[in-house]
Amino acid sequence: MAKQPTANTSTVAATPTATETVAAPTTTTTTTNPNTAEAKSRFNAALDEAKAGAAALGDEAKLRASGYREEAKARGGEWSTDAKSKAGELAVEGKHKASEALTGLSRVIDDNVTTLDEKLGPKYGDYARSASQTLQDNARKLDEKSLDELANESREAIRKSPATAVGLAAVVGFFFARLFR
C-alpha cells in the first residue's frame, strides 16, 4: 500500500503490519528566547504602571468632581435665594400695579356714569356705579393683603370652584394674548 496520513502531520513510510505499532511523533518544546521574556516583563510592568496611573486619575477626578459639586451647591443656593427675593419683589410690584389698574378702571367708569344715565337710563348707571365701587373695594383689599394671604385665598377659591377658576384663567389668558398681540 501507499503512504497514509495519520492524525498528526507526519507520515509513515511503510504500512505497519498487524504486529507492529506506529510510534507517535514526539513534540518538541520550544525554549523561550531571553529577549521575549524581557519584552513580556517590560510589557507587564508598563501595564501595571498604566493601571496605577488610571487609578490615580480616577481618584483625582473624583476629588475634583466633589469640589465642583460643592461649589455648584453653594452657587445654586445663592441663586435660589436671589431668585426668590427677586420674585417676591416682582410679585409685590405686580400686585401694586394691578391695584392701580383696578382703581384706574373704577375712575374711568365713574367718569362715564353720567353719560350712561343720560343715554341708557339710570338703571344702567346704577350698574356702572356698583361695578365701579366693587372695583374700588377690590383694589383696596388687594393693597391691604400680603402675597401669602392672596395665595391662600386663591387656593381656597380654586378648591371650592375649579370650573370657575379654569374659566377665569381662560378669560385672563385671552385678555393677555390680545393685550400683547
Side-chain angles (χ1 to χ4, degrees):
M1 266 190 171
K3 298 180 192 174
Q4 294 179 355
T6 58
N8 51 25
T9 57
S10 64
T11 58
V12 179
T15 307
T17 61
T19 57
E20 296 178 325
T21 58
V22 178
T26 59
T27 56
T28 57
T29 57
T30 55
T31 58
T32 53
N33 190 350
N35 291 337
T36 304
E38 183 180 346
K40 284 183 179 180
S41 173
R42 286 186 181 182
F43 178 77
N44 288 334
L47 189 61
D48 291 339
E49 187 176 336
K51 286 180 183 177
L57 285 175
D59 292 342
E60 183 179 350
K62 287 178 185 176
L63 181 65
R64 284 187 181 184
S66 68
Y68 292 142
R69 189 178 306 115
E70 293 301 320
E71 185 178 344
K73 282 182 184 177
R75 286 189 182 177
E78 291 171 10
W79 291 343
S80 174
T81 303
D82 292 346
K84 285 179 183 177
S85 66
K86 185 67 176 177
E89 291 171 9
L90 291 174
V92 169
E93 184 179 328
K95 179 183 83 145
H96 182 67
K97 286 186 178 186
S99 175
E100 286 178 352
L102 289 173
T103 302
L105 183 60
S106 172
R107 285 187 193 134
V108 168
I109 292 172
D110 278 340
D111 292 344
N112 293 313
V113 166
T114 55
T115 306
L116 287 172
D117 282 339
E118 292 171 3
K119 291 191 178 185
L120 299 175
K123 183 177 180 181
Y124 291 103
D126 289 341
Y127 287 144
R129 283 183 197 85
S130 174
S132 173
Q133 184 60 40
T134 302
L135 287 172
Q136 192 68 22
D137 290 343
N138 285 335
R140 183 182 42 78
K141 287 178 185 177
L142 186 61
D143 265 344
E144 291 173 354
K145 292 186 180 182
S146 72
L147 292 175
D148 291 334
E149 290 173 330
L150 291 172
N152 289 337
E153 286 179 7
S154 298
R155 284 188 200 106
E156 194 62 35
I158 291 170
R159 279 190 203 114
K160 287 181 181 177
S161 177
T164 303
V166 169
L168 184 60
V171 169
V172 170
F174 178 75
F175 173 72
F176 280 119
R178 287 292 199 186
L179 183 66
F180 293 117
R181 193 178 250 184

